[in-house]
Amino acid sequence: RQLVQLRWIAFAGQLATVAGVPLLLDVRLPLRPMLACLAFLALFNLACALRARTAREVRPLELLAGLGVDLAVLTALLALSGGIHNPFVFLYLPQVAIAALLLPRPLTWAVLAGATTAMAGLAAWHLPLQWPDGPAPPLPLAYVAGVLLCFVICAALVVRVIVRFSQTLRRHDERLAALRQRAAKEDHIVRMGLLASGAAHELGTPLATLSVILGDWAHMA
């Protein structure tokens, strides 16, 4: 459900960007195919919302498929709007971070590999941005390679840090659960001891009285 909510936020941001860039920056965009991609994303998210309401359990492969659709739609939008020239190309990083939070480690690295492959593809195949003063000049190959290397390093660090922190928090929660269980057992033992001592006291008082009376009777004629 949280992933569905995040996807709605991404949809709103992408729709606002596609609609606002031509008006604010006077940049021509292929609106029809871009709006078709966003419409597909909205329909897919509606299906995911229905699935989230009815499903008792969502498997990691389903989450991987959802993130794969997000990557594919983002890649299509970027390919239609400048590719590696588009400053929004680093929106792949939140996708990788979400994968690190939700998926097992092998699937997380698969998402990172998919995002890196998509960025490399955008460097080779994309529609150039139509700026008011003409298309932008092609980027040097060394710059493109540096951008890809920077993305891989940043994404790998993000995955590594999130996975390590998640493991640390998981171990911390397990230790807290074990301590709570141990404290509950000790509290149960203490309560049983108090109950036993109270019962012994309740039984001991009349027995002591009977012992004194019987002792007195034993010394009587």
Side-chain angles (χ1 to χ4, degrees):
R1 291 179 180 178
Q2 292 177 353
L3 189 59
V4 169
Q5 294 173 1
L6 289 175
R7 191 175 290 118
W8 283 128
I9 295 174
F11 170 80
Q14 292 166 353
L15 182 61
T17 303
V18 170
V21 164
L23 298 177
L24 299 177
L25 301 179
D26 195 20
V27 176
R28 288 180 293 173
L29 296 175
L31 293 180
R32 288 185 178 179
M34 297 183 79
L35 292 177
C37 292
L38 292 176
F40 170 76
L41 183 63
L43 293 176
F44 176 77
N45 206 33
L46 286 174
C48 290
L50 294 176
R51 170 67 176 165
R53 290 182 179 180
T54 58
R56 296 182 179 179
E57 180 182 2
V58 179
R59 298 180 180 179
L61 290 178
E62 294 184 61
L63 296 177
L64 177 63
L67 290 175
V69 171
D70 294 334
L71 286 177
V73 172
L74 179 60
T75 302
L77 292 175
L78 292 173
L80 294 170
S81 57
I84 201 75
H85 294 263
N86 195 315
F88 290 100
V89 72
F90 279 91
L91 284 177
Y92 285 112
L93 276 177
Q95 305 285 344
V96 175
I98 292 172
L101 287 171
L102 298 179
L103 300 178
R105 188 181 302 180
L107 299 182
T108 300
W109 291 113
V111 172
L112 174 56
T116 304
T117 303
M119 282 196 66
L122 290 174
W125 301 287
H126 61 269
L127 292 179
L129 282 173
Q130 299 297 325
W131 296 97
D133 52 355
L139 295 174
L141 182 60
Y143 178 81
V144 174
V147 170
L148 291 175
L149 180 61
C150 176
F151 172 78
V152 171
I153 293 174
C154 293
L157 288 176
V158 167
V159 171
R160 182 65 177 171
V161 169
I162 291 178
V163 169
R164 287 291 298 272
F165 282 173
S166 299
Q167 291 176 348
T168 301
L169 291 175
R170 193 177 299 112
R171 287 195 295 266
H172 181 66
D173 292 340
E174 291 175 355
R175 290 176 183 175
L176 286 179
L179 288 175
R180 290 193 186 98
Q181 187 176 4
R182 181 178 177 181
K185 290 182 179 179
E186 292 178 351
D187 182 69
H188 181 68
I189 293 173
V190 170
R191 290 178 180 272
M192 292 295 293
L194 292 175
L195 181 61
S197 63
H201 177 73
E202 293 295 332
L203 291 174
T205 300
L207 289 177
T209 303
L210 288 175
S211 176
V212 171
I213 294 174
L214 290 175
D216 292 339
W217 286 0
H219 293 86
M220 293 175 64

